Amino acid sequence: MGFTAANNAGSAVALQSGQPDFLWFLNNDTLVDPDALSALVRAARQRPSVGAVASVLYDMGTDTVQAYGGGRVSLWNGRAQLVQAPIPDEQLDFLAGTSLLVRVLAIQQVGLLDEQFFMYWEDTDYSFRLRAAGWALTVAPDSRVWHLGAVSTGANTVKRKSETFERVFSQSTVRFYRRHAPLPIVPLTRGLGWYFIKRLLKREWPQVRAIVQGTVGAFRPDRPRAST
């Protein structure tokens, strides 16, 4: 089904079986501090304008911050990066979906995750949709979650990614910038295009092929956006 559709399936059951105030999206390659969820809920209840709250993520088994809740993304140079230290909420472009508490009132307004994103970029897209609907984003500094990362797409390292990762990530990248960038060709050329050239120069042919497949797949007819 993909990461996004699977999360939506669970969300639909939760919304139909009760009247929750929040839904907690949590990756299955995580370990959580006992107070992680309580800290998220406290942060959300302090500010009714907050639509979603993220945890601080740590590399598995260490105290190294993997992401301080989310990150920044440029709609012009095609680059996105996680932040490792606190920044003002207004400067956070997206929250990481690894551990994300979302207010049900916000879900009722903007819908669930978009299943056009099989995996990757779905949390960034969702953050943009929440902000566009007037909801604030924030991080709960005392919500601690340890994350392994990249488990779903096989063996990945900093220098070399699996073919599955390259294909799925490229497809989601194209979909995101086509939807949100003022001129999608600019960030796609400067970001994904340069990434593709580097793979060519390194003669990583399986990865090159996967990037092409993902890019082409992004232009196929979209499935309907999920909603409550």
Side-chain angles (χ1 to χ4, degrees):
M1 292 179 65
F3 175 87
T4 309
N7 273 283
N8 283 349
S11 299
V13 171
L15 292 170
Q16 293 169 4
S17 62
Q19 295 181 326
D21 294 326
F22 307 98
L23 292 187
W24 188 21
F25 295 93
L26 181 68
N27 281 22
N28 61 359
D29 58 345
T30 56
L31 293 175
V32 302
D33 182 85
D35 193 43
L37 177 57
S38 298
L40 290 171
V41 173
R42 285 195 299 270
R45 286 182 170 160
Q46 286 173 0
R47 292 170 55 193
S49 62
V50 166
V53 188
S55 301
V56 179
L57 306 178
Y58 297 84
D59 290 336
M60 188 66 75
T62 76
D63 287 326
T64 301
V65 175
Q66 186 181 96
Y68 201 90
R72 307 292 306 276
V73 58
S74 172
L75 299 180
W76 292 103
N77 66 22
R79 296 179 182 176
Q81 62 180 8
L82 298 168
V83 296
Q84 278 76 43
I87 63 174
D89 289 347
E90 296 74 19
Q91 295 180 20
L92 270 176
D93 293 322
F94 67 91
L95 297 179
T98 306
S99 174
L100 185 67
L101 188 81
V102 184
R103 193 182 301 273
V104 168
L105 287 177
I107 293 173
Q108 291 171 343
Q109 182 176 357
V110 305
L112 294 170
L113 300 173
D114 192 335
E115 294 178 16
Q116 294 171 26
F117 296 88
F118 183 85
M119 189 182 302
Y120 301 122
W121 288 93
E122 76 292 325
D123 48 5
T124 310
D125 172 74
Y126 201 64
S127 296
F128 272 61
R129 288 163 54 196
L130 287 169
R131 277 266 174 78
W135 292 98
L137 309 177
T138 193
V139 178
D142 48 350
S143 177
R144 294 160 52 90
V145 171
W146 287 264
H147 180 220
L148 191 58
V151 173
S152 299
T153 53
N156 292 290
T157 66
V158 173
K159 294 184 178 180
R160 189 175 182 85
K161 305 298 184 183
S162 70
E163 294 175 54
T164 300
F165 173 89
E166 301 283 29
R167 182 175 60 256
V168 176
F169 190 85
S170 297
Q171 178 173 302
S172 293
T173 300
V174 174
R175 286 186 182 276
F176 174 81
Y177 284 110
R178 286 184 68 198
R179 174 174 297 169
H180 295 287
L183 291 173
I185 188 64
V186 176
L188 288 174
T189 300
R190 300 179 69 181
L192 185 61
W194 175 238
Y195 184 81
F196 176 75
I197 290 173
K198 289 192 291 185
R199 291 293 179 267
L200 279 175
L201 294 176
K202 292 181 180 180
R203 298 184 180 183
E204 296 178 349
W205 306 123
Q207 283 70 24
V208 167
R209 181 176 60 251
I211 293 171
V212 172
Q213 291 171 343
T215 301
V216 172
F219 289 91
R220 293 171 184 162
D222 294 335
R223 289 182 289 176
R225 175 178 291 179
S227 60
T228 56

